[in-house]
Amino acid sequence: MSLVYKSTESLAFDDFVRDLHVGFGMSAYGRETMWDDTAGKCLVHQANDIHHAQLHPGEHLDDLTQKFLGQIERRLRPDMVFPGKDSRNSGTPKQARLSLYDLCSDVLVPAASVALFGEALLRTSPTLVDDFHSFDEDSWMLTYQYPRLLARKMHQAMERNTNALTKYFQLPLEDRPGACYYVKTFEALQREASMKNRDLAITIHLFYWVSNANVFKICFWLLSYILHRPETLEKIKGETQGCLLNDGVDIDKLLRCTLLNASFSEVLRLTSGASSARTVVSTTQLRGRILRDNRKLLMPYRQLHFEEKAFGPHVKDFRPERFLGDNKADNGPYFKPFGGGITYCSGRFIARREVLAFVALILHRYDLKLADANPVLPRLDERTPTLGVLGPVKGDDTAVMLTARDVRYV
């Protein structure tokens, strides 16, 4: 696998991005502009550099982290979690039976939308979150190049999302403050290259999609697993007790909570369906095997996560202890939830911060319990293709009883 990562000239990722541009409906002019390298590095590769600057450790990640933490904290306050009785929730405004999947989604996707774009995007397109989920649910059809006739729902939702972002970019800059470094910087580059608003929106739609598709699912699975493992739940509550602030969390302390971070890694091991794809640009020999040019190379990682020689026995069970002590499994060659090489996920740092903050806040601001008398852990949907974290089988969920604690908010 490391040889594939190192063979960046003969094994390329660019064709996959080109296919996405076509699938999202970018114009021929837009595609030509994005890949034009006559004056130096093309816009696509410049976007990768900006993406790394935004999401790798440094001032831009720190700034984005604070935006995310502020949004998650605000959206986990009781007035946001219990906006009143409706058809989905039962109970008093201080207590409700909720879908854990919906709860994670309803907090984290809007939080990311505001952290990345400021308030203007959701203000001008209030159905964006619902449209995102409609698209994300069937987004695998896009990467597998399903005929449009068989993927109408996905394409319609994708079109609504693109329209929302186009409307956003049509606003004057002063009417949409608060965008993150990546959005502001990449927009400016595209404006200089005379990209049209719709094509600009499509390039940012890709960023919005990958920023939102996995984190709420990781939170859903982490909470589902620890709710079914009460001893782990109580230990995590104990080790995170000193990480809470009146206005949020101390993220540096949370990053040092060993069991919470081990649980994060174990959830990724169990639920990741990530793969890497490359195009064979020129005939390549790897360990005695010949890869012919113009072929596609696919590297699924999920099978690696169930190797007993790397993770020990009972590999299908949730056991965060695998990642504690002297066990370096999360740094080994068999643990690849974020891929590797040139497609090593830059979002791994902000994703961890989002998940740790969400879990710590919900465990200390609320009493969170399984709502059903005989609860069953949701099943992983291993039949639907995904580029990231697997969702639950359709119809499966974790029903929780959420009761607000008396917390002083500032």
Side-chain angles (χ1 to χ4, degrees), residues 174-203:
E174 59 269 22
D175 291 345
R176 46 183 173 97
C180 69
Y181 169 79
Y182 177 87
V183 171
K184 290 188 294 186
T185 306
F186 195 31
E187 177 187 357
L189 279 177
Q190 293 189 70
R191 297 289 189 196
E192 289 177 13
S194 300
M195 286 283 280
K196 303 294 189 273
N197 280 326
R198 181 174 177 76
D199 287 334
L200 194 164
I202 286 171
T203 66

Side-chain angles (χ1 to χ4, degrees), residues 113-125:
S113 302
V114 177
L116 297 175
F117 296 95
E119 301 282 353
L121 182 60
L122 288 183
R123 185 180 67 245
T124 56
S125 299

Side-chain angles (χ1 to χ4, degrees), residues 123-388:
R123 185 180 67 245
T124 56
S125 299
T127 66
L128 179 73
V129 173
D130 290 337
D131 291 334
F132 165 77
H133 285 299
S134 294
F135 166 68
D136 183 55
E137 184 179 346
D138 293 325
S139 59
W140 62 273
M141 296 179 177
L142 181 70
T143 55
Y144 280 74
Q145 299 181 9
Y146 252 51
R148 194 180 186 93
L149 183 65
L150 301 178
R152 283 180 177 172
K153 178 187 168 191
M154 181 273 292
H155 278 283
Q156 290 168 352
M158 182 174 67
E159 185 73 9
R160 292 193 296 272
N161 285 331
T162 298
N163 289 341
L165 286 162
T166 302
K167 186 192 303 183
Y168 170 85
F169 284 114
Q170 287 171 340
L171 294 172
L173 281 172
E174 59 269 22
D175 291 345
R176 46 183 173 97
C180 69
Y181 169 79
Y182 177 87
V183 171
K184 290 188 294 186
T185 306
F186 195 31
E187 177 187 357
L189 279 177
Q190 293 189 70
R191 297 289 189 196
E192 289 177 13
S194 300
M195 286 283 280
K196 303 294 189 273
N197 280 326
R198 181 174 177 76
D199 287 334
L200 194 164
I202 286 171
T203 66
I204 300 298
H205 190 180
L206 287 163
F207 175 64
Y208 182 72
W209 174 32
V210 298
S211 298
N212 275 308
N214 296 309
V215 170
F216 80 91
K217 294 171 191 169
I218 300 172
C219 288
F220 166 75
W221 286 117
L222 201 161
L223 288 169
S224 293
Y225 280 120
I226 65 175
L227 284 168
H228 282 268
R229 207 172 190 250
E231 68 279 9
T232 300
L233 174 64
E234 292 306 314
K235 288 178 181 178
I236 289 176
K237 283 183 182 179
E239 77 168 0
T240 56
Q241 181 68 48
C243 302
L244 273 290
L245 306 171
N246 285 338
D247 61 348
V249 296
D250 186 325
I251 194 63
D252 292 326
K253 287 185 178 179
L254 281 177
L255 289 168
R256 296 194 294 271
C257 289
T258 55
L259 183 56
L260 178 58
N261 280 274
S263 298
F264 175 82
S265 294
E266 178 70 343
V267 164
L268 288 178
R269 185 188 70 81
L270 288 168
T271 65
S272 174
S275 300
S276 286
R278 301 287 190 272
T279 298
V280 184
V281 178
S282 58
T283 300
T284 304
Q285 184 170 335
L286 295 176
R287 297 189 184 276
R289 296 179 183 273
I290 303 296
L291 305 180
R292 303 293 182 188
D293 61 341
N294 296 320
R295 305 298 201 278
K296 300 291 186 183
L297 176 64
L298 184 66
M299 297 181 292
Y301 297 118
R302 184 164 176 75
Q303 292 84 344
L304 296 174
H305 293 174
F306 296 90
E307 281 285 348
E308 290 191 359
K309 63 183 178 182
F311 299 104
H314 309 291
V315 289
K316 293 188 177 181
D317 296 339
F318 175 76
R319 296 190 176 186
E321 296 80 12
R322 302 179 207 276
F323 294 93
L324 292 175
D326 294 330
N327 192 337
K328 302 299 182 184
D330 54 348
N331 293 323
Y334 290 92
F335 187 63
K336 297 290 182 185
F338 296 109
I342 59 173
T343 52
Y344 193 24
C345 178
S346 298
R348 62 193 184 276
F349 302 106
I350 191 67
R352 183 183 293 268
R353 286 160 172 76
E354 289 181 72
V355 172
L356 301 188
F358 179 87
V359 171
L361 282 168
I362 202 168
L363 291 182
H364 289 283
R365 286 190 172 177
Y366 300 90
D367 289 319
L368 182 67
K369 299 179 181 178
L370 294 169
D372 295 330
N374 297 298
V376 177
L377 190 70
R379 295 164 294 171
L380 284 158
D381 181 5
E382 299 186 77
R383 300 186 65 180
T384 303
T386 179
L387 297 178

Side-chain angles (χ1 to χ4, degrees), residues 10-131:
S10 60
L11 302 175
F13 183 69
D14 285 352
D15 281 354
F16 182 74
V17 180
R18 286 189 174 93
D19 288 343
L20 284 176
H21 286 165
V22 173
F24 270 83
M26 187 180 292
S27 71
Y29 171 80
R31 298 197 303 273
E32 180 180 347
T33 303
M34 285 294 292
W35 292 98
D36 181 10
D37 59 1
T38 54
K41 191 177 285 190
C42 70
L43 282 173
V44 173
H45 295 163
Q46 289 184 68
N48 290 338
D49 295 340
I50 302 167
H51 200 240
H52 291 165
Q54 173 72 86
L55 296 174
H56 283 204
E59 62 174 315
H60 299 306
L61 175 63
D62 292 342
D63 179 64
L64 186 61
T65 297
Q66 291 309 310
K67 288 182 177 182
F68 267 106
L69 296 185
Q71 285 298 313
I72 292 170
E73 188 277 332
R74 183 170 75 86
R75 292 171 188 280
L76 273 177
R77 293 190 176 202
D79 62 325
M80 296 289 283
V81 174
F82 306 129
K85 297 179 183 179
D86 60 35
S87 60
R88 293 184 304 169
N89 305 338
S90 61
T92 68
K94 289 285 186 177
Q95 183 182 68
R97 176 190 171 100
L98 298 168
S99 153
L100 182 59
Y101 191 86
D102 287 349
L103 174 62
C104 294
S105 168
D106 290 347
V107 171
L108 289 160
V109 177
S113 302
V114 177
L116 297 175
F117 296 95
E119 301 282 353
L121 182 60
L122 288 183
R123 185 180 67 245
T124 56
S125 299
T127 66
L128 179 73
V129 173
D130 290 337
D131 291 334

